[in-house]
Amino acid sequence: MKILKKIIYILALVLITSCGYEPIFSKKNYNFSIAKIDTYGDKNLSNKIARNLNNINKLNNSNKIIELKIDTSYNKLISSKDNKGDPKTFSIEVVSTVTIISDKLNETRIFKESSNYNSRPSKFDLKKYEKKLINNMIKKISEKLINSLQILL
């Protein structure tokens, strides 16, 4: 029985390590380079998206040079209340409008991410959870933007 387990572990290890798995976003060869990023709206959120895109600026020497104008905002709404009138669930939405400018292209794209969540007993925990949700949504928007730019250019 122990020999069979060892064989299964070794076989699984060999199959997993030699499968050729490569993460999608580990590829650093983009077909464009970002020359300038202007941020508008909620500066904190727009700057987070710009920071996620800074890696493309430094790693790429492409002849397709673009400029981006990023306008980001978020809305927090109370979805439902309990019997006392206190908020029970919230809805938060992050909207980023990105204008892509190059010598051959001038296009605007809108990226949205939203999430519903329950209230927390502590206001501190609620704010901390909201920040975590917004950061996750910003990462998703950045990934969608990079994918969109790769397809578009």
Side-chain angles (χ1 to χ4, degrees):
M1 191 68 169
K2 288 185 179 185
I3 296 173
L4 183 60
K5 283 185 180 181
K6 287 182 182 179
I7 292 173
I8 291 173
Y9 286 133
I10 292 172
L11 185 61
L13 181 65
V14 168
L15 290 175
I16 289 174
T17 58
S18 64
C19 70
Y21 170 76
E22 183 179 334
I24 295 172
F25 295 111
S26 71
K27 195 175 182 184
K28 302 294 182 193
N29 298 328
Y30 299 110
N31 59 350
F32 60 92
S33 180
I34 302 172
K36 183 179 175 184
I37 301 174
D38 293 325
T39 58
Y40 304 99
D42 189 327
K43 290 286 188 182
N44 186 25
L45 299 180
S46 295
N47 286 335
K48 285 181 182 180
I49 293 174
R51 268 186 256 129
N52 289 340
L53 298 175
N54 276 340
N55 295 334
I56 296 173
N57 290 350
K58 297 173 184 170
L59 294 175
N60 214 359
N61 293 327
S62 175
N63 58 359
K64 295 179 184 175
I65 299 173
I66 61 171
E67 292 183 14
L68 297 177
K69 294 183 180 181
I70 303 172
D71 184 8
T72 307
S73 64
Y74 79 97
N75 296 321
K76 177 182 167 185
L77 301 171
I78 298 171
S79 298
S80 66
K81 295 182 179 186
D82 61 7
N83 294 339
K84 297 177 187 176
D86 295 329
K88 185 176 177 183
T89 60
F90 295 96
S91 174
I92 195 163
E93 179 182 55
V94 177
V95 179
S96 186
T97 304
V98 180
T99 304
I100 306 160
I101 302 168
S102 71
D103 54 347
K104 299 177 183 178
L105 181 70
N106 190 354
E107 187 171 328
T108 301
R109 298 222 170 171
I110 298 172
F111 300 94
K112 292 182 184 181
E113 285 293 324
S114 62
S115 182
N116 295 320
Y117 57 98
N118 294 328
S119 182
R120 303 281 191 256
S122 166
K123 298 282 185 189
F124 177 75
D125 290 339
L126 182 63
K127 283 288 184 193
K128 198 164 110 177
Y129 186 69
E130 286 173 1
K131 283 184 181 181
K132 186 188 286 187
L133 277 177
I134 289 172
N135 286 335
N136 288 339
M137 287 189 256
I138 290 295
K139 285 179 186 175
K140 287 180 184 177
I141 287 174
S142 299
E143 289 172 1
K144 285 181 181 180
L145 175 59
I146 291 170
N147 286 337
S148 177
L149 289 172
Q150 285 181 322
I151 292 169
L152 187 63
L153 302 172

